[in-house]
Amino acid sequence: CILSVRAGTTRRQARIEDGRPFRFPTTAAEALPFKVDVLEPVASARFVLRAGDEKRTDCQYVIPLEAQAPSKDAVGTPKDQIVMSVTVAAAPAEEEGAEKGGAAPEGTKEIKRNSSSARLSQACTAREYLDRHRLVEFTQLLIESVIKEQPDKPYAFMARQFNFPEPQPRPGAAAKAAAAAAAAAAA
């Protein structure tokens, strides 16, 4: 579940399990309306714009959403899955020099200092995940393949690399591995 808290015009969201406090750049008097919602994800998708697409205004993307869990009716009988998608149109971001609002609100430096240790923790967690699944190596090899092959449609080429089936053990490989382990133990 997701805890969503709105204080005035600022909204903060996090998984309930995180247990992190929310900090808002407003006083209690400015935090009106104050609203708390508990949300449950129904479907999700992750989408990364291709390089340069963030500046285009002539295109949009239809992104299929994956259901988080099979839905059931009131009696617990599985219902037919609803197919969902969202349409996203990219719009150019504002220039960095044209930021709104001028000076930073009071207390921003304290929040940034406190969040640096959180960022370090997130970076360590992310690195462990990348290492555990060898994603950095895979991504490097994928980019090397694109550079070497230089396909006309590089995104389609990369997408095909993700569609290979999982490797299967070779016939007799388990017996050979067991014999090698026994020989190593005897030595």
Side-chain angles (χ1 to χ4, degrees), residues 20 24 61 65 71 80 86 89 102 105 107-109 134 161 164 185:
R20 295 181 293 137
F24 295 92
Y61 302 89
L65 299 173
S71 56
D80 291 336
V86 64
T108 304
K109 289 181 184 174
R134 302 179 68 188
Q161 306 309 308
F164 284 120

Side-chain angles (χ1 to χ4, degrees), residues 23-73:
R23 290 183 173 71
F24 295 92
T26 60
T27 65
E30 296 170 329
L32 299 174
F34 189 85
K35 183 178 182 190
V36 177
D37 292 309
V38 176
L39 311 170
E40 187 170 341
V42 175
S44 68
R46 187 169 296 266
F47 174 69
V48 178
L49 284 173
R50 295 177 184 171
D53 280 1
E54 71 278 2
K55 296 177 183 165
R56 295 180 62 182
T57 58
D58 63 335
C59 62
Q60 65 183 23
Y61 302 89
V62 177
I63 304 163
L65 299 173
E66 295 180 19
Q68 293 292 332
S71 56
K72 297 181 180 181
D73 62 16

Side-chain angles (χ1 to χ4, degrees), residues 26-175:
T26 60
T27 65
E30 296 170 329
L32 299 174
F34 189 85
K35 183 178 182 190
V36 177
D37 292 309
V38 176
L39 311 170
E40 187 170 341
V42 175
S44 68
R46 187 169 296 266
F47 174 69
V48 178
L49 284 173
R50 295 177 184 171
D53 280 1
E54 71 278 2
K55 296 177 183 165
R56 295 180 62 182
T57 58
D58 63 335
C59 62
Q60 65 183 23
Y61 302 89
V62 177
I63 304 163
L65 299 173
E66 295 180 19
Q68 293 292 332
S71 56
K72 297 181 180 181
D73 62 16
V75 193
T77 307
K79 293 196 287 187
D80 291 336
Q81 285 291 5
I82 299 172
V83 178
M84 294 181 273
S85 65
V86 64
T87 302
V88 176
E94 292 183 24
E95 295 297 322
E96 292 220 6
E99 290 184 26
K100 300 177 186 175
E106 267 186 56
T108 304
K109 289 181 184 174
E110 179 184 327
I111 292 171
K112 286 183 180 176
R113 242 181 284 131
N114 292 339
S115 67
S116 66
S117 63
R119 281 196 305 270
L120 179 61
S121 175
Q122 289 173 340
C124 290
T125 302
R127 185 63 196 201
E128 289 171 6
Y129 179 83
L130 292 171
D131 290 344
R132 184 172 57 250
H133 295 284
R134 302 179 68 188
L135 292 171
V136 173
E137 295 171 55
F138 176 79
T139 305
Q140 288 172 337
L141 291 170
L142 181 63
I143 297 300
E144 287 174 15
S145 296
V146 171
I147 292 168
K148 182 179 178 183
E149 297 292 325
Q150 296 188 359
D152 291 335
K153 296 182 178 182
Y155 293 102
F157 174 84
M158 288 188 290
R160 283 194 305 274
Q161 306 309 308
F162 291 99
N163 291 327
F164 284 120
E166 289 291 320
Q168 300 296 319
R170 292 182 184 173

